[in-house]
Amino acid sequence: MYFIDGLECGRYDRRVLAEFTRRVLAEFTKGGMAAVTITLSFWEDALETMDAIAAWNDLARANSDLVTIARTAEDIVAAADSGRTAVVLGSQNSSPVNDRLGFVELFTDMGLRVMQLTYNNQNAIGGSCYEPHDSGVSRFGREVIAEMNRVGMLVDLSHVGERTSFDAIKASDHPLAITHANPRSLYDHPRNKSDDLLRALAAGGGVLGLATYNNICGPYAQSPQAWCDMVARTVDLIGIDAVAIGTDLGQNSGPDRLEWMRKGKWTRSEQPGASLPGTPAPPQEWLRSTLQFPDIAAALRESGRFNEAEIEAITGGNWLRLYRQVFGS
Amino acid sequence: MYFIDGLECGRYDRRVLAEFTRRVLAEFTKGGMAAVTITLSFWEDALETMDAIAAWNDLARANSDLVTIARTAEDIVAAADSGRTAVVLGSQNSSPVNDRLGFVELFTDMGLRVMQLTYNNQNAIGGSCYEPHDSGVSRFGREVIAEMNRVGMLVDLSHVGERTSFDAIKASDHPLAITHANPRSLYDHPRNKSDDLLRALAAGGGVLGLATYNNICGPYAQSPQAWCDMVARTVDLIGIDAVAIGTDLGQNSGPDRLEWMRKGKWTRSEQPGASLPGTPAPPQEWLRSTLQFPDIAAALRESGRFNEAEIEAITGGNWLRLYRQVFGS
């Protein structure tokens, strides 16, 4: 069984060393994780993202008994087979490419394997789930998606607007991911996705990582049992091959990072992020670190709704298949 | 026989498309070149150099019947065996790394294989051959050389000051290159190198690429015969294993590039570059393009000073050995 968390937050660079400590990396391996896809950037541009990659390269070398940076699905299997966790470098924005098509390939060369088309704001590629009007995929966006297909970078639509997401699925020759979101029909939130969109994702071989982040789970965050009920309902909706996990966990996260995530460089005004007024979400208490990831597998088992093969698919197998298909070798 | 030119000038980016045209790339293959190491940057920083790499990636794809970008010596052999020329990405300055140690690895990932520590000016790593006082290798410079050793990037000392060059040879675990310069004992010019330095380079397994650039050849530029005499004298000085060719040819080069090379971003005043007052150099007429590279082999043969194995070593074999040793696989 290869446990994979399709998305974790956290920000690591020279200035913010606290988030991925050796303790957190040790929790990856103690949790039995084959892979964790981490966040290199929310708003960071090319140089800032390169600083983050350089810092991760150093971090992985200094903790090579615990982690290794993976570029292929085979790297993940090899890491797991050696008792270590593969870190997959992801970005929650396309800001690293600095609006240059050629940089998609260069960042692939540097190890970036998963890139969200937009974070919370519209950019040159398309619209986000929080914009009043979603443009759909722009002309440049079509070029970027084709280039991501060519070089084997996984397209992530988690914070992307609905129209841009539909356009991206249509434009992409490869299956895509929604690494961390939930069905809007189960919990109505702008970050969550319509049934139609999720069906289109699944029809193309894509994968949805269900999040444990309380603000987008609503009542399903209250207990592992409630959350497993959301998993079962989502499997009923889009099939067992399309459902995985992207916790959206943030490690050692403080108010500084939250402010960076929400305000970035684009505003001085207060921003609620996913914590919307009128949708109070109970705190999620049962998954505080990656160490508890196996508890999800146990809860899925206890729910009696899945057989072992299905639990394997949800807890990592589906990500591994998608990564193998998209990343190439 | 694998012909390799250890250094050619020229600047290719979105704004300057004229230098590496399809005609120039076709001359590489018609000249029977296994590899040509080109110049990505003189003063360009990280982003500008990434623009140049992205442009080269596009150029190589659009002309894949003629060239391929090589990362290893094996890539060069494979290119030559398929009748194509391997382009080795080089920089004549360490400006791409933006004074960040971690960027050495990132640029290696992006394909940069040869990097000169300084161009014409002092930088954070060391002093250039034109500075009034050469600092030697700085503290950061030692870190960069160790990192270049670790990731397999070739250290080039062509425009580097003598003291910095001696320091670098001492600091480096790998053999180094002077890709394009001549012995100062044969032609006295600040860009040329003392016998002691060349001996130190050769003692460590390094290679000197003799240049055909008139300003640093003096009388040896006048004819292929004169130039071959310089080759023979240099072989006498440092041995057959240490002598190769780095023409310093510039393709389709105009006054704009010359001004960029000399003035970069650092001065508004006129700069002579290698064209020093009081050292008039005759124009070099017999090697105007890479197409004529085989003429050098023919002239070496006609000189009667070398056997075939020696001609092979000078015209490419020594570069291939050094590249194999340093680049890794």
Side-chain angles (χ1 to χ4, degrees):
Chain A
M1 195 176 282
Y2 295 108
F3 288 152
I4 300 180
D5 191 351
L7 192 282
E8 295 201 7
C9 278
R11 181 166 167 247
Y12 180 91
D13 65 23
R14 299 287 174 192
R15 287 150 294 158
V16 186
L17 295 164
E19 302 200 19
F20 287 98
T21 59
R22 185 167 168 86
R23 184 182 62 71
V24 168
L25 301 181
E27 287 173 0
F28 288 177
T29 56
K30 278 187 209 150
M33 303 304 295
V36 175
T37 298
I38 58 86
T39 301
L40 282 176
S41 17
F42 296 101
W43 305 103
E44 285 81 352
D45 66 9
L47 284 179
E48 292 164 328
T49 305
M50 288 166 70
D51 279 335
I53 296 176
W56 264 106
N57 283 341
D58 284 348
L59 186 71
R61 258 192 294 279
N63 297 279
S64 60
D65 55 325
L66 298 174
V67 295
T68 180
I69 295 174
R71 288 167 178 250
T72 65
E74 286 61 45
D75 289 346
I76 293 173
V77 171
D81 291 352
S82 69
R84 299 184 300 160
T85 300
V87 170
V88 178
L89 300 182
S91 172
Q92 292 204 43
N93 204 342
S94 56
S95 48
V97 305
N98 272 32
D99 292 348
R100 284 146 154 112
L101 184 63
F103 278 24
V104 174
E105 181 170 28
L106 299 187
F107 274 96
T108 304
D109 285 346
M110 290 186 268
L112 182 63
R113 310 308 290 120
V114 182
M115 188 170 80
Q116 195 162 249
L117 296 182
T118 76
Y119 187 53
N120 288 348
N121 284 21
Q122 175 174 312
N123 61 23
I125 289 173
S128 99
C129 65
Y130 292 119
E131 293 292 348
H133 304 287
D134 178 355
S135 59
V137 170
S138 70
R139 295 191 300 158
F140 175 56
R142 289 183 185 280
E143 298 282 342
V144 168
I145 291 167
E147 184 72 353
M148 290 174 77
N149 286 171
R150 190 181 70 77
V151 301
M153 192 185 281
L154 178 59
V155 176
D156 183 3
L157 303 172
S158 305
H159 289 239
V160 174
E162 285 266 316
R163 186 172 175 178
T164 297
S165 296
F166 274 114
D167 284 357
I169 291 169
K170 206 167 167 188
S172 178
D173 291 332
H174 287 182
L176 302 86
I178 296 174
T179 63
H180 58 303
N182 297 319
R184 196 179 294 166
S185 62
L186 299 180
Y187 183 63
D188 188 19
H189 187 289
R191 270 276 281 102
N192 288 336
K193 306 302 181 188
S194 72
D195 289 356
D196 282 350
L197 179 61
L198 294 176
R199 285 196 195 98
L201 177 83
V207 172
L208 166 69
L210 292 169
T212 58
Y213 177 39
N214 64 323
N215 278 320
I216 60 174
C217 284
Y220 295 102
Q222 278 174 316
S223 67
Q225 293 72 34
W227 197 80
C228 288
D229 183 42
M230 181 171 73
V231 176
R233 287 164 186 262
T234 308
V235 168
D236 288 346
L237 192 65
I238 57 174
I240 185 67
D241 295 336
V243 179
I245 301 170
T247 60
D248 209 3
L249 267 176
Q251 307 283 340
N252 295 321
S253 177
D256 280 1
R257 179 164 67 79
L258 206 60
E259 179 161 320
W260 172 249
M261 285 169 64
R262 292 178 173 175
K263 295 166 71 172
K265 311 168 183 175
W266 70 279
T267 182
R268 295 188 184 90
S269 73
E270 284 311 307
Q271 292 294 325
S275 166
L276 297 183
T279 57
Q284 184 274 87
E285 296 290 358
W286 49 273
L287 189 76
R288 309 303 290 170
S289 99
T290 317
L291 195 55
Q292 296 163 293
F293 198 93
D295 298 346
I296 300 180
L300 288 169
R301 199 168 288 119
E302 282 158 25
S303 76
R305 312 273 283 268
F306 307 101
N307 64 34
E308 275 304 303
E310 290 170 333
I311 294 168
E312 274 195 36
I314 294 166
T315 57
N318 286 335
W319 284 135
L320 194 63
R321 185 199 71 234
L322 182 67
Y323 288 172
R324 182 168 282 131
Q325 204 171 342
V326 174
F327 294 168
S329 53
Chain B
M1 194 175 282
Y2 294 108
F3 288 153
I4 300 181
D5 190 351
L7 191 284
E8 295 202 7
C9 279
R11 180 167 167 247
Y12 179 91
D13 65 22
R14 300 287 175 192
R15 286 151 294 157
V16 187
L17 294 163
E19 303 201 18
F20 287 99
T21 58
R22 185 167 168 86
R23 185 183 61 72
V24 168
L25 301 181
E27 287 173 1
F28 288 178
T29 56
K30 278 188 208 150
M33 305 304 295
V36 174
T37 298
I38 59 85
T39 301
L40 282 176
S41 17
F42 296 101
W43 305 103
E44 286 81 351
D45 66 8
L47 284 179
E48 292 164 328
T49 305
M50 289 167 70
D51 279 335
I53 296 176
W56 264 105
N57 283 342
D58 285 347
L59 186 71
R61 258 190 295 279
N63 297 279
S64 60
D65 55 324
L66 299 175
V67 296
T68 181
I69 294 174
R71 287 166 179 248
T72 65
E74 286 61 45
D75 289 345
I76 293 173
V77 171
D81 291 351
S82 69
R84 299 184 299 160
T85 300
V87 170
V88 178
L89 300 182
S91 172
Q92 292 205 41
N93 205 342
S94 56
S95 48
V97 305
N98 271 33
D99 291 349
R100 285 144 153 111
L101 184 62
F103 279 23
V104 174
E105 181 171 27
L106 299 187
F107 273 97
T108 304
D109 285 346
M110 290 186 269
L112 182 63
R113 311 308 291 120
V114 182
M115 188 169 80
Q116 196 162 247
L117 296 182
T118 75
Y119 187 54
N120 288 348
N121 283 22
Q122 176 174 311
N123 61 22
I125 288 173
S128 100
C129 65
Y130 292 118
E131 294 291 349
H133 304 287
D134 178 355
S135 59
V137 170
S138 69
R139 295 191 300 158
F140 175 57
R142 289 184 184 280
E143 299 281 343
V144 168
I145 290 167
E147 184 73 353
M148 290 175 76
N149 286 171
R150 190 181 69 77
V151 301
M153 193 186 280
L154 179 59
V155 177
D156 183 4
L157 303 172
S158 306
H159 289 239
V160 174
E162 284 266 316
R163 186 172 175 178
T164 298
S165 296
F166 274 114
D167 284 357
I169 290 169
K170 207 167 167 187
S172 178
D173 291 331
H174 287 181
L176 301 87
I178 295 174
T179 63
H180 57 303
N182 297 319
R184 197 180 293 166
S185 62
L186 299 181
Y187 183 64
D188 188 19
H189 187 288
R191 270 276 280 103
N192 288 336
K193 307 301 179 187
S194 72
D195 289 356
D196 283 351
L197 179 62
L198 294 176
R199 286 197 194 96
L201 176 83
V207 172
L208 166 68
L210 292 170
T212 58
Y213 178 39
N214 64 322
N215 277 319
I216 60 175
C217 283
Y220 295 101
Q222 278 174 317
S223 67
Q225 293 71 35
W227 196 81
C228 288
D229 184 43
M230 181 172 72
V231 176
R233 287 164 185 263
T234 308
V235 169
D236 289 346
L237 191 66
I238 56 174
I240 185 67
D241 294 336
V243 178
I245 301 169
T247 60
D248 208 3
L249 267 177
Q251 307 285 339
N252 295 322
S253 177
D256 280 1
R257 178 164 67 78
L258 205 62
E259 179 162 319
W260 172 248
M261 286 169 63
R262 292 178 172 176
K263 295 166 71 171
K265 311 168 184 176
W266 70 278
T267 181
R268 295 189 185 90
S269 72
E270 284 310 306
Q271 292 294 324
S275 167
L276 298 182
T279 57
Q284 185 275 86
E285 297 289 359
W286 49 273
L287 188 76
R288 308 304 289 169
S289 100
T290 318
L291 194 56
Q292 296 163 292
F293 197 94
D295 298 347
I296 301 180
L300 288 168
R301 198 167 288 119
E302 282 157 25
S303 75
R305 311 273 281 269
F306 307 100
N307 63 35
E308 275 305 303
E310 291 170 331
I311 294 169
E312 274 196 35
I314 294 166
T315 56
N318 286 334
W319 282 136
L320 194 62
R321 185 198 72 236
L322 181 68
Y323 289 172
R324 182 168 284 130
Q325 204 171 341
V326 173
F327 295 168
S329 54

